[in-house]
Amino acid sequence: MIKYKTREEIELLRKSNQFVSETLAELAKHIKPGVTTKRLDQIAESFIRDHGAVPGFLGYRGFPATLCTSVNSVVVHGFPSSYELREGDIISIDCGVVMNGYYGDSAYTFPVGPISDEVYQLLKATRESLFKGIEQALEGHRIGDIGWAVQNHAESHGFSVVREMVGHGLGKSLHEDPEVPNYGRRGTGTKLMNGLVICIEPMINLGTKGVRQEKDGWTIRTLDGKPSAHYELAVAIDKNAADVLTSFRKIEETVRIFD
Ligand code: MG
Ligand code: MG
C-alpha cells in the first residue's frame, strides 16, 4: 500500500535527505588510500549523532553498521570492516538517517584516487542513468517509465542493470511501496501521483548483470567479480519536474569527480 505524503511530510523528508547528503559530503573528505571502511562508518555515526539524528541502517533487520560500504565488485550492503581503501578502488557509500521520524536515504560511488577509464565510464553512466530516471518521475507517468530510462541509458553504454535489488518508497519507513526497479517497460506499473516519495537507486555492473549474496546474509557481489556502481536520490513526484529532495551538490563541491 502506497502512503502518499502531505506537503509538511515532504518538507520533513527533504530535511532528512539533505542531511544524508551532508553526511556523504563529510565522508568525501576522508575517502583516500589507507582509510578503513570501519573508520568511515565511525565518522558517519559521530556526524549523524552530533547533529541530533539517528543512523537509519544500524540495527535495521539486524544490519550491523551506520553505512553500507561496497567496494569494487560489491554491489550493495557491504559491511564496514578493517579493509583499507587502495588507489584505483571504487566505494559505494549508502547512508540512511532518521530525523523527526522520517528517513533519509542516499548513496554515492566514489573513486579512490585515479581509476581506470572503463570504471570511470561506469560511474559516469550510472550517475547519468539516475538522472534519466528522475526525468521520468512525473505525475501521470508510471514506475516502468523510470526503470526503462535507467536501463536504456546504462545498456546503451554497454553496462548491465542489477535486477535483484530495486528502489523504493520512502517515509516513516525505510522501504515503503512501491518498488522502483531499474529496468522495465514504458507505460507499465504503478501510476505516479503527487505525494509519492521514492528513492531511485540504479545499481549498474561493468560486466554481467548477475549477482550473488555472500554467507553473511547481506553482502551482494557481482557474479563475475567485475565492479559495480550505485547512486541514489530521493524524489517527490510533482507535475513538471520531480522535486529532488537530496542533492549531490555538496559532495561534488568537496570532491571533483566528473567533468
Ligand atoms: Mg540507500
Ligand atoms: Mg534505498
Side-chain angles (χ1 to χ4, degrees):
M1 194 192 73
I2 293 175
K3 294 178 182 145
Y4 295 95
K5 309 305 187 289
T6 63
R7 281 193 163 280
E8 291 73 22
E9 288 182 292
I10 289 172
E11 291 316 311
L12 288 169
L13 282 161
R14 192 188 312 280
K15 280 189 181 153
S16 303
N17 281 283
Q18 287 189 343
F19 180 62
V20 178
S21 56
E22 285 165 29
T23 308
L24 291 173
E26 177 63 24
L27 289 165
K29 299 175 192 166
H30 299 273
I31 294 168
K32 44 189 71 144
V35 72
T36 65
T37 51
K38 184 75 198 165
R39 178 73 192 125
L40 296 174
D41 194 68
Q42 290 163 347
I43 291 166
E45 183 172 358
S46 302
F47 187 84
I48 291 165
R49 294 196 191 279
D50 287 350
H51 288 80
V54 176
F57 296 168
L58 185 62
Y60 179 83
R61 295 185 180 163
F63 190 78
T66 294
L67 301 177
C68 298
T69 55
S70 304
V71 178
N72 297 335
S73 64
V74 178
V75 180
V76 286
H77 304 165
F79 291 172
S81 72
S82 59
Y83 178 80
E84 291 182 8
L85 294 179
R86 294 175 203 172
E87 194 168 286
D89 283 348
I90 56 169
I91 177 172
S92 150
I93 298 188
D94 195 345
C95 181
V97 303
V98 190
M99 284 173 79
N100 305 305
Y102 288 85
Y103 275 88
D105 182 15
S106 180
Y108 198 92
T109 302
F110 297 88
V112 183
I115 56 173
S116 70
D117 185 59
E118 68 172 355
V119 176
Y120 172 80
Q121 296 303 332
L122 171 70
L123 300 193
K124 189 163 179 280
T126 305
R127 184 185 178 287
E128 286 166 355
S129 75
L130 167 56
F131 287 96
K132 294 288 180 190
I134 289 173
E135 283 173 14
Q136 297 298 320
L138 302 176
E139 198 172 16
H141 284 206
R142 290 181 183 271
I143 285 289
D145 296 326
I146 296 173
W148 175 83
V150 171
Q151 180 179 16
N152 184 55
H153 189 77
E155 291 181 352
S156 73
H157 286 76
F159 302 124
S160 64
V161 177
V162 172
R163 303 298 204 272
E164 286 81 350
M165 270 84 47
V166 296
H168 51 91
L170 186 72
K172 284 185 175 174
S173 304
L174 179 57
H175 297 117
E176 297 187 355
D177 287 338
E179 292 194 338
V180 184
N182 298 300
Y183 58 93
R185 285 190 298 125
R186 281 192 278 191
T188 64
T190 302
K191 201 172 205 174
L192 305 177
M193 308 218 303
N194 210 301
L196 177 62
V197 174
I198 52 173
C199 286
I200 305 176
E201 51 177 314
M203 289 152 259
I204 307 296
N205 293 351
L206 183 69
T208 56
K209 66 179 187 292
V211 298
R212 64 184 166 83
Q213 188 174 52
E214 299 206 332
K215 289 198 186 75
D216 62 22
W218 282 99
T219 309
I220 305 289
R221 200 181 279 277
T222 57
L223 265 184
D224 61 10
K226 291 185 178 172
S228 182
H230 177 216
Y231 292 84
E232 175 177 23
L233 291 170
V235 305
I237 303 305
D238 222 322
K239 264 203 184 66
N240 299 314
D243 182 1
V244 184
L245 304 180
T246 334
S247 167
F248 291 151
R249 190 176 53 83
K250 283 188 177 161
I251 298 170
E252 294 176 348
E253 283 172 0
T254 306
V255 284
R256 187 177 164 79
I257 298 165
F258 300 102
D259 301 326

